[in-house]
Amino acid sequence: MFREHGIRRGEGMSLLSLAKCARSRDDHAEAAALCRRAIGIFRSINDRWSEAWGALHLADSLGKLGELHDAEEYLGRALETFREFTDRRSEASTLRSLGDVSLARREFAAARDFWTRAAGLYEELGDALSDTLRRQVEDISDARSGEGEEGDRAG
């Protein structure tokens, strides 16, 4: 319907909804393809915030597909946009995802850093996710204590 009426943003958001459904079925290849289509639409209408939101969702699927470098690149661009728009909640969500990607890459110090920054933002927003992230930071710190963190980077 959105396509029929030329409502491009609605079409893009519908594609992101379909991508969410694909992710719920663990079909991350389909989800990534749908997110890329949505991002293309948002880019064509110069809707930078929606493009960043699509990139956040695309990065989730790319991470599940093991395409961690690409996921990190999309998240980095999304983070810049959310900061520019002073969208603190989306910034926190992106930092959390960057922590997840860092953990998948076994970059523990970077994961701790991203999660700590996300927790601080969630705390400012009064969101209980701050406690969850702080526990994740503690769990990594406890698991890594006494071990070297070779290959770690600070992100």
Side-chain angles (χ1 to χ4, degrees):
M1 180 156 231
F2 288 123
R3 187 178 297 148
E4 182 180 313
H5 294 284
I7 304 169
R8 303 288 288 160
R9 186 172 191 282
E11 181 181 351
M13 288 300 188
S14 293
L15 289 168
L16 290 182
S17 292
L18 290 171
K20 183 177 181 179
C21 292
R23 281 195 313 277
S24 73
R25 296 189 316 270
D26 287 328
D27 189 347
H28 295 286
E30 180 182 353
L34 290 164
C35 286
R36 283 187 171 104
R37 286 178 47 203
I39 289 168
I41 288 170
F42 298 137
R43 189 172 293 138
S44 75
I45 61 172
N46 198 28
D47 183 347
R48 293 180 47 245
W49 185 90
S50 295
E51 184 179 341
W53 189 246
L56 181 60
H57 291 289
L58 174 57
D60 178 61
S61 289
L62 292 174
K64 299 285 192 293
L65 293 168
E67 298 177 30
L68 301 176
H69 177 74
D70 289 342
E72 187 176 54
E73 282 189 25
Y74 277 101
L75 289 169
R77 284 184 257 156
L79 184 61
E80 288 177 22
T81 300
F82 293 140
R83 284 179 173 161
E84 182 181 329
F85 280 81
T86 59
D87 181 348
R88 306 289 277 170
R89 186 165 302 282
S90 296
E91 179 182 348
S93 183
T94 306
L95 287 167
R96 181 182 186 191
S97 294
L98 281 163
D100 295 344
V101 169
S102 296
L103 180 64
R105 294 174 89 166
R106 303 190 53 77
E107 296 170 348
F108 302 106
R112 278 193 307 265
D113 178 58
F114 286 126
W115 287 339
T116 298
R117 290 191 281 162
L121 287 172
Y122 281 127
E123 189 172 337
E124 288 175 24
L125 296 166
D127 192 315
L129 278 173
S130 63
D131 296 332
T132 301
L133 287 170
R134 291 195 195 286
R135 280 191 298 278
Q136 283 180 248
V137 168
E138 289 172 14
D139 290 346
I140 282 185
S141 296
D142 291 346
R144 300 294 299 165
S145 65
E147 293 183 31
E149 294 192 31
E150 295 173 20
D152 236 356
R153 65 181 183 140

